[in-house]
Amino acid sequence: MRFRELLHYTYIFPVLAVVYYFSGLMGGGIIYDIIAGILLIGSVLSAVHHAEVVAHKVGEPFGTIILALCITIIEVALIISLMVAGGDQAITLARDTVFAAVMLILNGILGICILVGGVKYHEQFFARTSATTYLVSIVSILILTLVLPNFTSSVNGPFYNEAQLIFVSIACLVIYGVFLMVQTVRHRSYFIVPDEHPEEHYIPSLSKTLISFGFLVVCLVIVVLMAKGLSDTIESMVQSLGAPKSLVGVIIAAVVLLPEGVAAIRAARANQIQSSLNLALGSALASIGLTIPAVSTVCIMYDIPLVLGLDKKDVILLSLSVFIVMLSLSRGKTNILYGTVLLVNLAAYIFTVIVP
């Protein structure tokens, strides 16, 4: 790899962001926060570039799995660090973050991808078997983690007791583990669209792939750290607008999901809707399938109460979103109506966060 290639913005922005974050300048005023925001956006775009380099090398569906797992692992680390620091005040943090991530992915990322692809290509085609495999796993984990706690009687309230938390955590890991085996080994063909022009694709060298993977991890870490660092500024902005504090979690979740969202939208614009689905639905599955077991383990270890059950309004919005996604992906092809309806669902979710 030549030195001149390292001067590309995808290498410069992450380095500058890391230096700026550890310089202690963040939080010094509005100008400093604007600079941090610019570096954060540059790091997001850099993460997308490096994820695509890795994806070209390892092929599908492994490329999308790597990006989804990287973001989910860092999201888990962020949630756990905030919960341990916040104690009893953070008992709903995991639930709210996971719910916000799922709603943003299913309605936002997926909706934009379908709408963008529909506007440009009218219809885009994907393997229905892949969508069904994703949704079967997602719906099962969603019900077990975010809905069932409202109806158990061992503990009063939307909680699981310790034994129930252990069982649900194991169930999530089993479902996600078997899904990965299906996606990468037994039924890999479900998640791949045959390439009509394979000779046109550039395959990066091993050294460039390893460098990009390293920068991908750096980008994702610094995006989360800077999002956390800007959370006080975001919270002050939200409070000045008179909006509920829960909107802060939605904004931070949106920032964390930016790399994945941009990558999925770019794939849709390139008429690769299968890759978009792999990114969006794979991220939603990883978000709940890995986050809940990790958070449950920490809560049991530190004796932190954990609220998982959603309230009635959120259960209705979640049910609506899952139902519309299932209908939209049932035919193996997309159009602009599906994307529009999903984005309206997203608007309804955000509106009811602001005006509950």
Side-chain angles (χ1 to χ4, degrees):
M1 188 174 182
R2 291 176 295 182
F3 176 76
R4 190 167 61 179
E5 294 181 19
L6 293 174
L7 298 179
H8 195 261
Y9 80 92
T10 56
Y11 299 98
I12 294 176
F13 265 107
V15 174
L16 290 177
V18 170
V19 172
Y20 190 79
Y21 178 79
F22 288 103
S23 69
L25 294 174
M26 286 184 63
I30 185 65
I31 300 298
Y32 294 103
D33 288 338
I34 290 175
I35 295 173
I38 293 172
L39 292 174
L40 187 149
I41 294 172
S43 298
V44 167
L45 298 176
S46 301
V48 174
H49 168 80
H50 293 300
E52 289 177 343
V53 172
V54 174
H56 281 308
K57 182 65 176 180
V58 301
E60 287 293 342
F62 297 102
T64 54
I65 290 174
I66 289 173
L67 181 57
L69 287 178
C70 285
I71 290 179
T72 302
I73 290 171
I74 296 169
E75 178 187 358
V76 168
L78 177 61
I79 292 174
I80 290 175
S81 65
L82 292 174
M83 288 193 70
V84 172
D88 291 346
Q89 296 180 353
I91 60 175
T92 62
L93 179 65
R95 179 199 67 182
D96 293 342
T97 304
V98 169
F99 179 58
V102 169
M103 294 296 285
L104 289 172
I105 292 167
L106 293 183
N107 295 303
I109 296 177
L110 199 58
I112 294 174
C113 289
I114 292 175
L115 183 61
V116 166
V119 168
K120 189 171 183 179
Y121 300 102
H122 296 281
E123 287 184 336
Q124 290 180 299
F125 300 88
F126 58 90
R128 284 184 296 175
T129 47
S130 69
T132 301
T133 307
Y134 277 119
L135 291 173
V136 163
S137 306
I138 290 172
V139 171
S140 176
I141 295 179
L142 281 174
I143 297 299
L144 288 175
T145 56
L146 299 181
V147 178
L148 186 60
N150 291 324
F151 301 96
T152 54
S153 56
S154 298
V155 182
N156 186 25
F159 298 89
Y160 275 140
N161 63 24
E162 184 173 321
Q164 292 169 332
L165 267 181
I166 293 172
F167 172 79
V168 169
S169 298
I170 293 173
C172 290
L173 292 175
V174 168
I175 292 173
Y176 188 69
V178 174
F179 170 83
L180 282 183
M181 182 187 69
V182 168
Q183 186 182 27
T184 59
V185 181
R186 293 186 67 91
H187 301 287
R188 186 181 173 190
S189 60
Y190 289 0
F191 306 89
I192 302 174
V193 174
D195 195 345
E196 297 178 358
H197 306 286
E199 69 282 354
E200 296 180 3
H201 290 289
Y202 165 68
I203 305 298
S205 64
L206 179 60
S207 60
K208 185 172 183 178
T209 302
L210 292 175
I211 292 173
S212 285
F213 180 75
F215 269 90
L216 171 62
V217 174
V218 171
C219 289
L220 295 176
V221 170
I222 200 61
V223 164
V224 173
L225 290 176
M226 295 189 82
K228 182 180 178 182
L230 290 170
S231 61
D232 290 339
T233 302
I234 297 172
E235 184 173 344
S236 299
M237 179 185 69
V238 169
Q239 289 178 347
S240 67
L241 295 174
K245 190 175 179 180
S246 55
L247 182 61
V248 177
V250 177
I251 295 173
I252 293 177
V255 172
V256 173
L257 290 170
L258 261 180
E260 219 160 21
V262 173
I265 294 167
R266 289 178 63 172
R269 282 182 55 83
N271 203 21
Q272 298 172 352
I273 192 65
Q274 185 66 61
S275 295
S276 295
L277 292 180
N278 291 346
L279 275 166
L281 297 180
S283 176
L285 180 57
S287 179
I288 52 175
L290 297 179
T291 301
I292 298 301
V295 170
S296 298
T297 301
V298 172
C299 288
I300 291 172
M301 291 175 56
Y302 289 90
D303 195 26
I304 300 174
L306 176 64
V307 173
L308 283 178
L310 297 171
D311 60 30
K312 294 179 181 178
K313 170 180 68 69
D314 289 338
V315 169
I316 291 173
L317 287 171
L318 179 63
S319 302
L320 174 65
S321 300
V322 170
F323 185 61
I324 296 301
V325 169
M326 292 174 68
L327 291 178
S328 300
L329 302 182
S330 64
R331 299 175 60 234
K333 57 183 179 179
T334 65
N335 63 55
I336 59 172
L337 177 61
Y338 302 154
T340 302
V341 173
L342 288 173
L343 290 175
V344 170
N345 290 346
L346 176 66
Y349 162 63
I350 295 175
F351 180 78
T352 54
V353 168
I354 300 172
V355 187

